[in-house]
Amino acid sequence: MPGLGGRMSTVIKSKISRMLDRAEDPGETLDYGYQKQVELLQNVKKGIADVVTSKKRLQMQSSKLEQNIVKLDTQARQALSQGREDLARVALERKTLAQTELQSLDTQVRELEAQQEALTANEQKLRQKIEQFRTKKEVIKAQYSAAEAQVRISEAANGVGEEMADLGLAIQRAEDKTETMRARASAVEELEKAGTFDDLSQLGAGQDDIDRQLQELTSGSQVDDELSKMKAELGQGGGDAPALEQGEEKA
Amino acid sequence: MIVRVSGEGQFRLPDEDADRLNELDNRAVAAVEQGDETGFRELWSQMLELVASDGNALDDEELVESDVILPPRDVTFAEATGEFTGDGLIPD
């Protein structure tokens, strides 16, 4: 079968078929088949554990971004209260970038969470099927002739093999997803290393590459809005911003 | 016939559904070949609907191979490009 049928013939599935072809004695095939299934189930569990680990790492990164957002907001306020609107603007631009990243990261982590739940449920189901196989093999051993047993056990083992391959595919997809997310998260980390979220007092007067990139990335209007809001809160009028509409003036 | 929706398990469908599923499958291949994502999405949800309306979930105790394996529900168009090719999921 072309298409997904072909893709489903994964390593796991072919492993089971190969090992079934090998043994002559059905009884031996059955026991070996069961033993192999139990071993492969361990791989499946490990795959799910890997997905969970990656997810936790991304969640940590997400909370770090949250801290950065708070920090940048505070710095913008400080800069503004010292009359450094230029620095406040830079801080807010960076905050906007961090917020955008955080939103997309959070969405993806939530999706991953759903996938993880499905994987765990399917792993439970696979375990039941393997248990079923164990029961079935005893019946087949006792009731059928060698030739017939071979056919029946192939059917059952292929059923389990398909289940296992399907779960393997689902784990693979989840891993691919965390990989993409991690690539994106480490891009943010690079920005962090490059000093993007560093203390603003360390910033030179001139614009560096990062600043220019940031200005391209972030929408000016959002930053403008936030600047005027902040000004209002700090009780600074002036400029062309409608700053005092909502805030209370300082006494 | 037995149909698996990847990630969701196996379903038993009446054999008469094979033709309908095959037709949708072939049209999905055509949509993918034309790069028509909207068309593909529509056909794909029709395939899933067919399984949902006519199919009965297989008992966990049944150990059988599927006749047709459908991709995961959330298959991306890029993934579909690799799956829905040639004769499609169901060989003619």
Side-chain angles (χ1 to χ4, degrees):
Chain A
M1 202 191 290
L4 193 78
R7 192 169 152 192
M8 283 300 296
S9 306
T10 54
V11 181
I12 289 175
K13 190 167 174 181
S14 62
K15 252 188 205 164
I16 289 188
S17 304
R18 261 209 318 279
M19 103 216 153
L20 286 175
D21 291 342
R22 205 162 53 206
E24 297 270 310
D25 169 24
E28 197 182 304
T29 313
L30 292 169
D31 293 337
Y32 185 56
Y34 172 69
Q35 184 198 323
K36 259 306 184 238
Q37 285 170 0
V38 172
E39 278 175 29
L40 288 169
L41 184 63
Q42 297 305 313
N43 291 349
V44 162
K45 279 175 144 172
K46 193 181 162 296
I48 295 176
D50 286 347
V51 169
V52 174
T53 309
S54 300
K55 189 198 72 184
K56 284 197 179 135
R57 202 175 305 153
L58 288 163
Q59 279 172 328
M60 271 167 60
Q61 206 134 21
S62 154
S63 63
K64 215 161 132 193
L65 265 179
E66 270 168 21
Q67 288 167 15
N68 273 323
I69 289 169
V70 174
K71 190 178 85 183
L72 286 165
D73 190 80
T74 311
Q75 289 182 334
R77 261 164 227 279
Q78 284 168 351
L80 204 55
S81 63
Q82 286 160 22
R84 292 292 308 272
E85 185 170 335
D86 56 334
L87 282 183
R89 183 174 289 276
V90 173
L92 288 177
E93 276 165 1
R94 292 177 176 195
K95 183 183 153 192
T96 307
L97 173 72
Q99 274 171 331
T100 311
E101 289 303 325
L102 180 68
Q103 269 167 18
S104 102
L105 199 61
D106 280 351
T107 310
Q108 286 177 311
V109 167
R110 270 199 302 277
E111 277 174 35
L112 202 60
E113 196 110 78
Q115 269 178 319
Q116 181 202 326
E117 272 169 34
L119 289 178
T120 312
N122 284 338
E123 190 248 339
Q124 190 61 35
K125 194 159 129 191
L126 175 62
R127 202 198 311 235
Q128 272 169 29
K129 292 220 169 197
I130 292 175
E131 181 54 27
Q132 191 61 32
F133 183 90
R134 192 181 68 85
T135 315
K136 203 164 183 163
K137 83 182 164 76
E138 296 310 319
V139 176
I140 292 172
K141 264 191 203 170
Q143 290 185 351
Y144 296 94
S145 70
E148 209 176 342
Q150 195 77 49
V151 171
R152 281 177 186 271
I153 204 56
S154 288
E155 275 171 16
N158 284 339
V160 175
E162 184 184 303
E163 194 77 38
M164 209 174 269
D166 191 45
L167 189 47
L169 187 71
I171 293 172
Q172 187 60 52
R173 285 183 105 234
E175 279 174 354
D176 288 351
K177 195 174 186 97
T178 47
E179 204 49 55
T180 317
M181 286 163 69
R182 211 180 304 158
R184 197 180 168 124
S186 60
V188 176
E189 214 169 4
E190 284 302 312
L191 279 176
E192 212 169 356
K193 274 188 201 148
T196 307
F197 304 126
D198 278 356
D199 200 329
L200 284 167
S201 58
Q202 318 238 324
L203 280 179
Q207 279 198 332
D208 53 19
D209 270 355
I210 294 169
D211 283 323
R212 271 191 293 276
Q213 282 171 27
L214 281 168
Q215 273 175 358
E216 282 164 21
L217 278 170
T218 56
S219 82
S221 67
Q222 189 184 335
V223 172
D224 284 341
D225 287 352
E226 241 187 302
L227 256 183
S228 5
K229 213 172 113 196
M230 219 170 247
K231 277 184 193 167
E233 280 168 21
L234 288 167
Q236 295 181 356
D240 49 0
L244 295 178
E245 233 162 50
Q246 56 185 35
E248 285 179 13
E249 271 192 281
K250 263 190 201 161
Chain B
M1 67 170 173
I2 310 288
V3 177
R4 175 183 290 279
V5 179
S6 195
E8 292 177 31
Q10 294 169 295
F11 301 85
R12 179 169 280 120
L13 270 75
D15 287 345
E16 301 89 79
D17 278 345
D19 287 342
R20 173 82 183 123
L21 201 59
N22 193 18
E23 184 215 326
L24 290 168
D25 179 39
N26 287 341
R27 285 169 62 197
V29 171
V32 164
E33 276 168 4
Q34 286 161 23
D36 174 10
E37 182 166 357
T38 318
F40 168 75
R41 285 269 152 237
E42 174 57 28
L43 290 159
W44 175 230
S45 65
Q46 281 182 38
M47 287 169 89
L48 288 173
E49 265 167 41
L50 183 68
V51 175
S53 63
D54 290 11
N56 286 312
L58 236 63
D59 204 277
D60 279 354
E61 299 188 351
E62 289 196 64
L63 303 176
V64 289
E65 259 188 295
S66 305
D67 299 300
V68 179
I69 297 171
L70 301 179
R73 181 171 293 272
D74 63 347
V75 62
T76 65
F77 191 62
E79 284 172 326
T81 315
E83 313 286 3
F84 290 84
T85 54
D87 282 347
L89 303 172
I90 309 163
D92 289 314

